[in-house]
Amino acid sequence: MLAIGLMSGTSLDGVDASLVEIINDGKKTKYLEKYFIFVPYQEKVKKEILEVSNLTTSNVQKICSLNFELGYIYKDVVEKLLKASNTKIDDIAFIAMHGQTIWHNPDQRDGYFSSTLQIGEPSILAYAFNKLVISNFRTMDIAAGGSGAPLVPFVNYILNKSSEQNIALQNIGGIGNVTYIKKNANIDDVIAFDTGPGNMLIDQAMRKLYHKEYDEDGIVALSGKINEEVLSYLMQDEYIERPLPKSTGREKYNDKFLQTIFDKMKCSSSEDIITTITAYTADTIAYAYHKFCPNVDKIILSGGGARNKYIIKRLKEQLNVEIEVSEKSDSYEAFCFALLGYYTYMHKPSNMKCVTGSKENVILGNFTYPPREEI
């Protein structure tokens, strides 16, 4: 069976697409990534996503339009993946898409219902390819009393459980999230949560200060110095101390949060600002391990932040542990959503109540069926 996983995260860099072969011999299921592409968002689209993710600039018309626009963008990405991999759409069983998160409130913040919203209309894909599309993975977990995130830990456990090591799988995308799997752990022993900001604040600061999308390889961060007073202030943020389960996103680590840092560092160099913000990302990860994930033997990094040499350097200083960069560093989340789609396709639960705080493990995702009968 072949499936496609699509992921567009809080970093807003673009869309990841993974072509995955799923082999089930009746005893064991294997998941093989056959091909991967990344398609960057145009600046116009990034601007639109930021606008609808901000309470002061969003409106229902913008959200409604962007929901369909992203559907067409995902369609184009699938077409590019099929062409690049020389794969026929008839050979694809389903497309699993995460969608673009524009708001995530799992904690009844400000008196509103716990909720989450990922946009990118699945009907566009279903109609274009006449294929089953599985989407909207987070909402059922919230309906079951959970936080709707993180969901990747389920796949992390399936692929990485060990009888020899305590393993932490750390993704550093827009937001940082960790899955901690103790040796010989069963599925209810897994600890997973969002550690705090990943690349989100760094990327926002790089755009404002350097007119660049990100700090390539962490070179700017490596050239500056930490403002220890500001870093100490940032480490007092309430999210870091918040008990589990927990998840976060752009609704917290946004331009307003970044402006607070800029105000406190208005006499600092641009390099020192980037270094301090990058140290903050690394230190929130290290602190989370000390508080929630003791005795880590190995960290496996994925996401764009896995290429940031300053983050890796800082983590080694703070944790003194083996750090390995995943061979699927860029494609991992898209790959994971293809696997989550498979569990939905097979009518099997794929959330983890021990991680999200849901009342029970439930089947995730919505089906958008092919609109035309196959002849």
Side-chain angles (χ1 to χ4, degrees):
M1 173 190 296
L2 290 176
I4 292 173
L6 300 177
M7 178 68 192
S8 48
T10 50
S11 61
L12 305 187
D13 52 353
V15 184
D16 297 328
S18 179
L19 176 65
V20 179
E21 184 177 13
I22 302 165
I23 305 169
N24 188 331
D25 63 5
K27 297 180 180 179
K28 186 176 181 179
T29 305
K30 295 180 180 179
Y31 310 95
L32 306 174
E33 186 171 67
K34 306 292 288 183
Y35 209 89
F36 167 75
I37 65 168
F38 165 72
V39 180
Y41 279 141
Q42 294 179 357
E43 286 303 314
K44 167 184 171 291
V45 176
K46 289 183 185 179
K47 183 174 180 289
E48 290 171 345
I49 296 170
L50 286 170
E51 285 179 352
V52 301
S53 302
N54 187 310
L55 291 174
T56 61
T57 57
S58 181
N59 64 49
V60 292
Q61 188 172 28
K62 288 180 180 179
I63 294 171
C64 190
S65 175
L66 186 58
N67 180 46
F68 273 71
E69 182 179 359
L70 287 171
Y72 287 111
I73 289 171
Y74 295 154
K75 177 185 80 72
D76 291 342
V77 171
V78 171
E79 288 174 345
K80 289 177 181 177
L81 177 65
L82 292 171
K83 183 177 180 180
S85 64
N86 195 27
T87 304
K88 295 179 180 178
I89 189 61
D90 291 346
D91 295 329
I92 302 296
F94 63 85
I95 300 168
M97 53 169 271
H98 173 267
Q100 182 66 59
T101 299
I102 62 169
W103 200 253
H104 184 67
N105 176 17
D107 308 308
Q108 298 182 324
R109 194 169 43 251
D110 301 327
Y112 290 93
F113 278 93
S114 291
S115 53
T116 189
L117 183 59
Q118 288 74 43
I119 62 173
E121 179 52 53
S123 297
I124 303 296
L125 291 171
Y127 181 79
F129 301 111
N130 202 40
K131 283 293 169 184
L132 172 67
V133 179
I134 304 170
S135 62
N136 216 23
F137 285 87
R138 300 190 182 277
T139 53
M140 186 59 76
D141 183 82
I142 288 185
S147 61
L151 298 182
V152 168
F154 178 80
V155 177
N156 286 341
Y157 174 74
I158 291 171
L159 299 180
N160 296 280
K161 55 187 175 181
S162 170
S163 61
E164 299 176 354
Q165 289 183 307
N166 299 323
I167 298 174
L169 295 110
Q170 179 71 46
N171 180 67
I172 309 175
I175 292 294
N177 56 75
V178 63
T179 303
Y180 178 51
I181 308 170
K182 295 182 290 186
K183 59 184 177 183
N184 298 314
N186 63 47
I187 198 164
D188 291 323
D189 294 327
V190 174
I191 296 171
F193 56 96
D194 289 345
T195 52
N199 302 313
M200 186 177 291
L201 294 174
I202 305 168
D203 293 350
Q204 287 172 266
M206 285 296 296
R207 291 186 195 107
K208 289 179 181 292
L209 297 174
Y210 291 91
H211 306 291
K212 294 182 177 180
E213 290 301 306
Y214 59 96
D215 181 12
E216 186 172 0
D217 295 330
I219 289 174
V220 176
L222 287 165
S223 69
K225 295 180 181 178
I226 296 172
N227 184 316
E228 296 290 352
E229 183 179 348
V230 172
L231 180 59
S232 177
Y233 166 81
L234 292 172
M235 290 301 294
Q236 296 173 41
D237 177 49
E238 61 83 23
Y239 181 79
I240 298 171
E241 291 289 345
R242 193 184 298 175
L244 305 182
K246 60 179 180 177
S247 59
T248 188
R250 189 172 295 279
E251 69 286 344
K252 178 173 179 61
Y253 297 108
N254 50 27
D255 281 336
K256 182 179 179 182
F257 192 99
L258 181 64
Q259 189 58 51
T260 300
I261 300 174
F262 279 8
D263 291 345
K264 288 183 174 295
M265 298 189 70
K266 57 187 174 183
C267 296
S268 301
S269 69
S270 296
E271 291 86 353
D272 289 355
I273 293 173
I274 297 299
T275 303
T276 302
I277 293 173
T278 309
Y280 178 49
T281 285
D283 287 10
T284 55
I285 294 169
Y287 184 83
Y289 287 18
H290 290 306
K291 187 173 179 65
F292 300 112
C293 312
N295 305 314
V296 172
D297 295 315
K298 182 168 74 170
I299 298 172
I300 302 175
L301 288 181
S302 62
R307 295 190 297 273
N308 190 307
K309 293 177 182 177
Y310 184 89
I311 290 178
I312 294 175
K313 173 178 174 288
R314 185 80 176 173
L315 287 175
K316 286 180 177 177
E317 291 171 353
Q318 299 277 10
L319 296 171
N320 190 29
V321 65
E322 177 189 355
I323 296 179
E324 171 187 314
V325 176
S326 170
E327 61 182 18
K328 291 188 178 70
S329 177
D330 294 326
S331 65
Y332 190 64
E333 287 194 299
F335 172 78
C336 286
F337 272 91
L339 271 62
L340 289 171
Y342 175 68
Y343 270 76
T344 305
Y345 184 81
M346 298 298 291
H347 303 278
K348 294 182 178 180
S350 58
N351 68 328
M352 301 176 79
K353 62 181 181 180
C354 62
V355 168
T356 66
S358 63
K359 298 182 183 72
E360 57 186 318
N361 294 333
V362 291
I363 299 170
L364 304 178
N366 299 346
F367 278 12
T368 303
Y369 287 100
R372 298 178 294 277
E373 285 186 287
E374 293 186 6
I375 300 174

